[in-house]
Amino acid sequence: MQDLLDPRSLVSADYADGSIYSNPALYDMEMDRIFMHNWIWVAHRSDLPEPGNFITTFVGPHPVIVSRDRKGDVHVLLNRCRHRGATVCEHKSGKGASFVCPYHGWAYGLDGALRGVPHQEGYSGQLDKAEYPLVSLRVEEYNGLIFATFDQSIMSLDAWLGRAKPWIDLFMKQGAGWPVKTMGEHRFTFPGNWKIQLENTTDAYHFPIVHKSFLDAVDEETQNTFDFVGGEGFVEDLGHGHSVMVMIPDLVDLEDNLDAPVPDRFLELAEELSKDYPPEKVRQIVRAVGGTGFNLNLFPNLACSMAFFRVLRPLSVNETEIRHIAIGMDGGPECANEARLRLHELFQGPMGFGTPDDAEAWDRVQRGSLAGRDIAILLNRGLGHEAKREDGNLFSDVSAETGMRAAYRQWLAAMTDEAAAAEIGV
Amino acid sequence: MTITLNEAIELITLEADMLDHGEFREWLKLYTEDGLYAVPIDPDAKVEDLEKILNYAYDNAEMREKRVERLLGGRSISAAPPARTVRLLSRYRMLETGTGSCTLRCAQFLTELRQGRERYYAANVTFRLKKMEERFCIDQKIVRLLTSTEALTAVSYIL
């Protein structure tokens, strides 16, 4: 037992040891202490619009079903038959009234209750169905974002999101007055550790370097909009490992500045919308189509990233799955949603003009960080001029590593026993 | 005026060879002006519905040009240099022939090599070809990856 890892020896306030990306024992510890004891994002409300709808997904390595029962309540159920452990659902999404295990026919309701056991007489009255529902996780929702956790004792989702909540509300203004809905996703893997991706969503510093070819592909006005390193933006620590990186301050509140002229690249769309909507609404929709000017990183697996949801899932110590979920206006104009889809395809996904270059950089971090021993990964950018706001939030310039420091602070808290104990007390 | 199977195969084999040998600017000229190059996610989506849903790629002429510039520009770290590819086309079937146009479906098996890693993509590819004045052009190329609904890896080249 003396070989047990001490995470405190690997991460400090402004650097981390390179082995955090490749140590299998540390990964196992993360899957337990982080992914079983924090709120993990599982779905957006629009993924389950009606009673009977379900999706399958994962909480860390654990396969789960997220379902909406007949009363409209959302359940997150381990996708594991209580009899012999088979998965009871292999569909990505669907609509139904029950989940029937294909092995021996045990049938469960949308709420996980065990409803039917074929030839139950074989248990001679010793099987009480009430004792064997699908295992339920704790579920809570904020502004359409559905989270689940194995841990019954951690603080409420509301308290956990805390100072990140106003930013979630701002992000959802992309509905332009309509509810936000998901519109499909790009899903890909990269051969590297999940924390490399976690860091990237709060890293503005890389943008003009890694995304040169994306910037080549857009007009000058857009290039100027994305020329934010050294600009007025900032990164702010929102507590509990969450952070926001404001790249384009003008696009923080999509309902502000509605008098501003429509950017050239959206003129055609604005003209089409003008047939059906008054000028003010047209500008609101167009601003929403372009997305917000910030990335909100929610520890550990979700980011509300400018115009889409980024969801990460660790597959092993050196493999990670990323989903870039497109979002749009539920009930909004079709031409505006199509414009959003084309913008998503331009940057995101395995064939986008941005993502493959990000993936290449992450891949290089994984391979390069194996070189040598006891060499630090630096997390100190922007520390020298980091300051505190009145509400206590630390902040620094847009290309600062304040968001990474926030995430690693929470990582350390979750990974060490004292912190787990402290959290239970909250 | 109909396009024969042999004529169709000749054109799409030329396209495959150009893509495997980095002749991207010449590749652009194979398409009609309002031609479409698309890599859908939804395996069941009809071509005419792709505009309304999310795809991996949904390229008009302007996007195809940008994709080519990205591959040749040397400013994309995932495409400097681009992955090397070898693609095999086979199992050709003419689905429809009309005056000056045809729709053909075939199998494509592509092997990619980049940074010492080999990766493989199987796909059903549907082409709509058109006779434009004196030559044949690609009016539609729809690449339906066998793994389109699975997690892919970065594809910094043209399928």
Side-chain angles (χ1 to χ4, degrees):
Chain A
M1 294 305 278
Q2 68 211 33
D3 289 329
L4 264 186
L5 271 173
D6 183 359
R8 279 166 297 205
S9 67
L10 300 172
V11 169
S12 79
D14 58 356
Y15 69 91
D17 187 76
S19 68
I20 58 165
Y21 301 136
S22 52
N23 184 325
L26 193 68
Y27 177 83
D28 291 343
M29 204 185 268
E30 290 172 340
M31 289 309 101
D32 176 18
R33 297 184 184 181
I34 291 175
F35 284 86
M36 293 187 83
H37 296 282
N38 281 287
W39 287 104
I40 306 298
W41 186 85
V42 291
H44 183 260
R45 183 162 53 200
S46 64
D47 295 329
L48 309 154
E50 292 168 14
N53 280 135
F54 65 85
I55 62 160
T56 54
T57 184
F58 293 84
V59 171
H62 307 274
V64 298
I65 302 168
V66 186
S67 65
R68 191 179 289 283
D69 71 18
R70 268 182 286 182
K71 286 180 287 182
D73 294 334
V74 174
H75 302 269
V76 177
L77 310 162
L78 287 190
N79 192 355
R80 175 198 170 120
C81 182
R82 295 300 302 277
H83 176 213
R84 305 294 292 278
T87 57
V88 297
C89 181
E90 286 292 331
H91 298 287
K92 283 295 288 176
S93 65
K95 194 170 185 181
S98 63
F99 304 106
V100 180
C101 178
Y103 199 178
H104 302 92
W106 286 33
Y108 302 89
L110 290 161
D111 59 356
L114 178 58
R115 295 266 172 76
V117 172
H119 303 292
Q120 197 176 343
E121 69 280 3
Y123 287 97
S124 318
Q126 289 171 359
L127 180 88
D128 178 2
K129 289 208 288 280
E131 283 179 27
Y132 295 99
L134 294 177
V135 173
S136 248
L137 273 64
R138 195 173 149 202
V139 189
E140 287 175 26
E141 180 174 336
Y142 181 78
N143 202 345
L145 302 176
I146 302 169
F147 294 78
T149 180
F150 280 91
D151 195 327
Q152 299 297 326
S153 66
I154 57 171
M155 67 180 82
S156 69
L157 178 68
D158 202 67
W160 166 252
L161 293 174
R163 303 198 296 273
K165 285 191 297 178
W167 291 97
I168 295 174
D169 298 343
L170 285 167
F171 188 80
M172 296 305 170
K173 289 190 180 186
Q174 286 177 82
W178 289 278
V180 163
K181 67 166 177 181
T182 59
M183 295 198 297
E185 66 183 33
H186 288 140
R187 194 155 62 94
F188 60 98
T189 61
F190 78 96
N193 187 266
W194 66 279
K195 296 187 293 299
I196 297 170
Q197 158 68 149
L198 177 72
E199 296 162 10
N200 178 259
T201 312
T202 178
D203 183 324
Y205 191 24
H206 81 286
F207 201 96
I209 312 293
V210 168
H211 298 305
K212 280 196 280 259
S213 83
F214 165 74
L215 292 168
D216 290 344
V218 297
D219 65 17
E220 204 182 327
E221 194 178 11
T222 313
Q223 285 174 3
N224 292 337
T225 306
F226 280 91
D227 183 19
F228 43 69
V229 175
E232 295 298 303
F234 57 89
V235 187
E236 190 165 319
D237 179 343
L238 302 173
H240 297 144
H242 316 317
S243 64
V244 66
M245 172 174 73
V246 173
M247 292 159 281
I248 310 165
D250 284 348
L251 295 175
V252 164
D253 189 335
L254 295 173
E255 287 168 5
D256 275 354
N257 303 323
L258 288 181
D259 299 332
V262 171
D264 284 351
R265 62 179 174 147
F266 292 128
L267 283 176
E268 211 175 307
L269 175 66
E271 200 176 317
E272 196 171 344
L273 289 167
S274 297
K275 294 174 196 161
D276 298 316
Y277 298 95
E280 174 118 346
K281 189 71 187 174
V282 169
R283 285 196 293 271
Q284 188 193 359
I285 297 168
V286 167
R287 259 174 85 79
V289 165
T292 68
F294 62 86
N295 282 3
L296 174 65
N297 221 18
L298 298 176
F299 187 86
N301 76 324
L302 176 70
C304 298
S305 180
M306 297 192 91
F308 66 100
F309 296 135
R310 185 277 289 145
V311 188
L312 66 81
R313 175 162 77 99
L315 298 177
S316 71
V317 67
N318 55 13
E319 193 172 20
T320 304
E321 180 190 270
I322 314 291
R323 296 157 65 199
H324 287 165
I325 301 175
I327 57 177
M329 304 156 224
D330 197 355
E334 200 163 281
C335 60
N337 280 335
E338 283 174 14
R340 287 192 68 100
L341 292 173
R342 298 294 90 79
L343 286 173
H344 192 87
E345 288 160 358
L346 175 63
F347 192 93
Q348 313 303 338
M351 293 190 77
F353 290 6
T355 298
D357 295 328
D358 277 325
E360 171 86 11
W362 310 333
D363 188 346
R364 299 250 193 133
V365 171
Q366 184 72 24
R367 285 183 287 139
S369 67
L370 295 173
R373 289 282 179 279
D374 304 323
I375 304 174
I377 301 283
L378 300 183
L379 299 166
N380 59 348
R381 189 174 166 83
L383 196 57
H385 47 272
E386 197 167 73
K388 213 173 231 184
R389 296 211 195 277
E390 278 175 22
D391 57 10
N393 289 358
L394 290 169
F395 75 102
S396 190
D397 77 286
V398 65
S399 72
E401 286 154 356
T402 304
M404 298 177 210
R405 291 191 286 274
Y408 280 110
R409 200 174 299 121
Q410 182 62 34
W411 180 91
L412 198 55
M415 292 286 273
T416 51
D417 291 329
E418 301 95 303
E423 275 194 11
I424 289 166
V426 170
Chain B
M1 278 297 281
T2 56
I3 303 173
T4 67
L5 183 62
N6 276 345
E7 285 169 332
I9 292 172
E10 196 180 325
L11 175 59
I12 65 177
T13 307
L14 175 67
E15 196 226 8
D17 188 73
M18 282 178 168
L19 289 175
D20 282 345
H21 291 92
E23 298 169 24
F24 301 121
R25 293 215 170 92
E26 291 74 14
W27 172 77
L28 290 171
K29 296 177 197 156
L30 296 181
Y31 282 72
T32 60
E33 219 167 278
D34 51 359
L36 172 69
Y37 164 79
V39 184
I41 297 170
D42 182 347
D44 303 317
K46 294 189 185 121
V47 179
E48 57 270 29
D49 293 334
L50 295 181
E51 192 177 5
K52 301 187 196 101
I53 59 176
L54 188 71
N55 305 287
Y56 290 117
Y58 185 84
D59 289 4
N60 57 14
E62 191 189 345
M63 274 298 290
R64 282 195 298 279
E65 264 170 56
K66 286 179 178 175
R67 205 172 284 281
V68 165
E69 286 313 313
R70 201 176 112 78
L71 290 177
L72 295 174
R75 284 160 66 80
S76 152
I77 52 169
S78 65
R84 293 172 62 207
T85 58
V86 172
R87 68 195 74 200
L88 296 173
L89 304 186
S90 189
R91 203 208 59 205
Y92 306 103
R93 180 178 172 190
M94 196 64 97
L95 296 177
E96 205 184 319
T97 51
T99 311
S101 74
C102 73
T103 305
L104 176 90
R105 185 168 64 208
C106 67
Q108 171 171 293
F109 189 79
L110 180 149
T111 303
E112 162 204 327
L113 178 67
R114 183 165 160 74
Q115 289 171 341
R117 266 194 298 257
E118 253 187 2
R119 287 165 172 158
Y120 311 94
Y121 288 101
N124 286 299
V125 187
T126 305
F127 289 93
R128 190 167 77 199
L129 308 179
K130 263 190 180 169
K131 192 157 193 178
M132 307 296 286
E133 294 165 12
E134 287 315 299
R135 64 192 192 103
F136 300 118
C137 290
I138 298 170
D139 193 42
Q140 267 181 12
K141 178 184 179 183
I142 314 296
V143 183
R144 295 187 187 271
L145 289 168
L146 189 61
T147 49
S148 70
T149 57
E150 307 300 311
L152 304 182
T153 45
V155 179
S156 231
Y157 50 90
I158 296 166
L159 284 169

